[in-house]
Amino acid sequence: MNFHAFEIDNDPDLTLEQRIDKIREMGYDSQSKFDEKYTEVASWYKDHSQLYILSYCMFYFMIDRQNRDEEAETGSIEFPPYYMELLQAIALTLPYTDSGTPLFYKVSAFKESMKQLGELNNTKFYDIPDHIKTIEQMDAHQLRIQMMAQTTAVRNWSYEHLMQKVTKELSAGISDVFKHLYGFEPQLLIELLDAMTHEVEIRVNSHIDKQHGFIYANDTISLQQQYENIFKDSPKSTASQKAEMAEKYSLDQLKDILWMMSDLELQQLFIFDLNQMESLSRGLLTSQQIKTVMDKWSMKFGELAQSEKDHFMLSNPVQSKPFIKLGDDHYFSSLWTVMTHMSISLLELLVAEDSKLQTKYNDYRGEYLEQEVEKLCRQAFPGAAIYAGSMWPGSDNKLFENDVLVVIDSFALVIEAKAGTVSPSAKRGAPERLFKTLQGLIEEPSHQALGFINYLKANKGELSLKTKKGPNNRVDTRNIKFFIPLGITLSHLGAMGSNLKMLINAGVTNKKVTELAPSMSLTDLHVVFDMLPGIPQKLHYLQRRREIEANVDYFGDEIDLLAWYIDSAFALGKDEYEEANYYQLTLKSKELDPYIIGRAKGIPVEKPALKFTPWWQAIIGRQEKQKKQLWLENSFLLLNIGYEDQQTFEYMIKDLIERIKKGETTDRHNYVEMDSNTSKRRYVCFGYPYTNEHLEERGEILEEIMYGKEDEDIKGIFLIGTNIDKKDYPYSIFASKLDSTLFDAEFFSMVSPTPL
């Protein structure tokens, strides 16, 4: 989705209401032009077959032939997937046009029409309702626009391999009830869609090879012969007819003509009959079973004639019915690049056919999410104490259930999972439904997570917490000092889910940011845990991400934030607290795509990682390996130091060691000091080189250095000591002194939420 900036007027005398009126005029004008442009785009189907145009666009505009990421390179996609969905929906509003006329020289004009329609759709969102007069109302409306923009433009809500994983596992969870209703397991359908998508890829590559097989011919006669040999179903010409064509057209002209003729074959690449689909299912589905499903997933030409065109942008019916039925047993689609994105919608369409199956599916979504989160945590935090389903009493002894609690050393990660869905009306920006949906997916789990944290803080000791199934969870809270709340959703909320201040400003919630937990989707949690090695990095990201969300103004989704963290460790210094700063993170996630996608395909790609000096990485590695007292807090302190400061500190120590060796120091004991110089997140690092002759005095000197820095603003002090004579690596001793508010103070002293 491209964002548009408008220069409405620099007149300082304009009131807010007048400025809003000017924006409203732009939106109103775009809405009028949108209706006209929509009619223009639909008119292309009068002269050209719908199947031809759809196939042409799929083949030439949607398929990447150069293995490049257009969005990463240019910042946008010239022909985004929702253009394809819109074209297919418009095609279904009309009776079929049986025409063999190609676009030929009109391709650019057609493509420009679609581009203008897409741009007008973006700007018509600025047709602001008349009741909006204040900044607060504008913030709320802006959130609606954001949801509508995401609904319009965002496809493939996660990486393809993760979407496939979630869809298949959700299918497996309802397999018994589904099979009783339909006669086969739902996983077979998801596998069939995958197989059909792969088959389309094979067909497309074959067609490209065929085109290349004739286009390089050196004379007009061999050009025609090669074309007929390659496209065996094409009309055959005699030798005299070939000679006549050779006289009439130049070699280049004839190449254009034959290429254009080959384009008329494109629709066959995207059509499947029942026998082909039965074969692709490996015989595990019968033709009749496939037909039953495909008929539910398909529409016929003319079926959308009475549909509201605005819904084609915000709740396009082709997203749940992406196929066009041709005759009795043939089915076409131009939406193969987003078929994986649609797989859950296709599954849910079948689920909705039966109330018992719908109930089973709704229940299993919640169970699945909780189980997956627990499994991910067990993989991500080896050695941690992990508790699922702990029951705890709120106000009036009302029982609540925590989904997952991870306790490791002095840290506790408190996770609440919500498997609710985003309804079509919420996707279209309906205010009440949108706000209610976001409250359910973000505010409610925050409320519950912080309530459980308060309960744990108020009940220090060995707790025995009941569970709905199995024995009680025995949780020892005596050593827990730091709590990190987190909400996990099954639905993907894009930038809205990763920006709590946006929700607060829009009036979705009246909570303060300290009363809300960060939220991310299950698939994003997969990516976060996969990208960040080691326990300290995972916890550091989750906590610092919470602080960044409160302190910094930015726009981006979870993986954009993750890429920013990997790039910077969120070591922003004073910039973190500068209200004037705004960080546009959109597409930052593209830096991670090559590794994540390559790894899923078995292609070796270097993994992006936080940048450390080798020495710093060795220090963190030893802390995690040895797991001595305060190892996790120490690691947290070390991760707060950015790469440039690591280099500076290392240079300072090495320089001091060299001066000690050369006898250039005058004091018996010498050390270097580096201060983060950020008042709200202040950390102090000491480097203390010493020799064997100082061993007896070392303890006293350490205490003098560490405790000589008394300052209530300092959150943590650590000292790295190196015995020059022993050449220990990465250090000889590591000492630290921590304030009880290791995190930003407002995030340690949780604001008590409304009693549960």
Side-chain angles (χ1 to χ4, degrees), residues 87-106:
L87 278 173
Q88 184 159 317
I90 296 173
L92 290 166
T93 66
L94 304 166
Y96 183 60
T97 301
D98 189 7
S99 169
T101 305
L103 285 168
F104 198 34
Y105 62 87
K106 295 184 288 187

Side-chain angles (χ1 to χ4, degrees), residues 58 81 84-85 88 318-319 322 333-339 342:
M58 171 66 190
M84 204 73 248
E85 296 169 20
Q88 184 159 317
V318 305
Q319 292 180 359
S333 181
S334 63
L335 307 178
W336 294 103
T337 60
V338 291
M339 197 62 73
M342 296 176 175

Side-chain angles (χ1 to χ4, degrees), residues 71-87:
E71 190 175 26
E73 292 180 14
T74 68
S76 63
I77 301 176
E78 185 181 20
F79 205 91
Y82 78 90
Y83 283 15
M84 204 73 248
E85 296 169 20
L86 178 60
L87 278 173

Side-chain angles (χ1 to χ4, degrees), residues 362-580:
N362 291 343
D363 291 343
Y364 185 68
R365 277 176 63 96
E367 295 172 13
Y368 169 74
L369 180 60
E370 293 169 10
Q371 291 167 3
E372 278 296 294
V373 170
E374 180 186 356
K375 183 167 74 173
L376 279 175
C377 288
R378 292 192 183 281
Q379 294 169 351
F381 302 106
I386 297 177
Y387 310 93
S390 299
M391 308 296 294
W392 57 278
S395 61
D396 300 326
N397 288 322
K398 179 181 177 182
L399 282 180
F400 292 86
E401 183 179 12
N402 166 250
D403 293 320
V404 178
L405 171 65
V406 179
V407 178
I408 181 160
D409 203 74
S410 58
F411 284 71
L413 178 60
V414 179
I415 302 177
E416 295 294 341
K418 289 293 180 183
T421 59
V422 182
S423 68
S425 59
K427 291 178 181 179
R428 292 195 296 268
E432 288 188 18
R433 176 54 60 184
L434 173 59
F435 280 32
K436 185 174 181 180
T437 297
L438 294 173
Q439 287 165 357
L441 293 176
I442 295 177
E443 183 176 335
E444 290 179 18
S446 298
H447 191 54
Q448 203 157 322
L450 296 183
F452 188 44
I453 287 173
N454 279 352
Y455 173 79
L456 294 176
K457 290 169 69 175
N459 292 272
K460 289 288 185 180
E462 296 184 65
L463 307 179
S464 180
L465 303 177
K466 294 181 179 179
T467 62
K468 289 182 178 179
K469 299 177 182 178
N472 289 5
N473 286 333
R474 300 191 176 278
V475 182
D476 189 346
T477 66
R478 290 173 296 183
N479 191 44
I480 301 176
K481 299 177 185 175
F482 309 106
F483 296 88
I484 303 174
L486 180 65
I488 301 296
T489 62
L490 197 53
S491 298
H492 191 271
L493 300 175
M496 286 178 296
S498 59
N499 197 324
L500 296 175
K501 284 200 289 189
M502 183 191 299
L503 304 185
I504 293 170
N505 293 339
V508 172
T509 175
N510 58 8
K511 304 292 185 184
K512 297 178 181 178
V513 72
T514 49
E515 297 176 285
L516 295 171
S519 176
M520 68 179 71
S521 70
L522 174 65
T523 51
D524 285 348
L525 185 66
H526 269 278
V527 175
V528 168
F529 282 176
D530 176 58
M531 292 301 302
L532 300 178
I535 291 170
Q537 282 192 34
K538 293 179 177 68
L539 291 178
H540 186 257
Y541 172 75
L542 292 175
Q543 173 56 25
R544 285 292 291 133
R545 178 216 183 288
R546 186 167 190 239
E547 295 169 3
I548 289 291
E549 196 164 4
N551 296 331
V552 176
D553 289 323
Y554 64 86
F555 187 88
D557 64 20
E558 189 65 44
I559 308 305
D560 292 325
L561 280 169
L562 176 63
W564 189 24
Y565 175 77
I566 290 173
D567 192 42
S568 67
F570 290 153
L572 307 183
K574 294 179 180 179
D575 287 343
E576 182 171 339
Y577 305 97
E578 291 290 339
E579 293 185 4

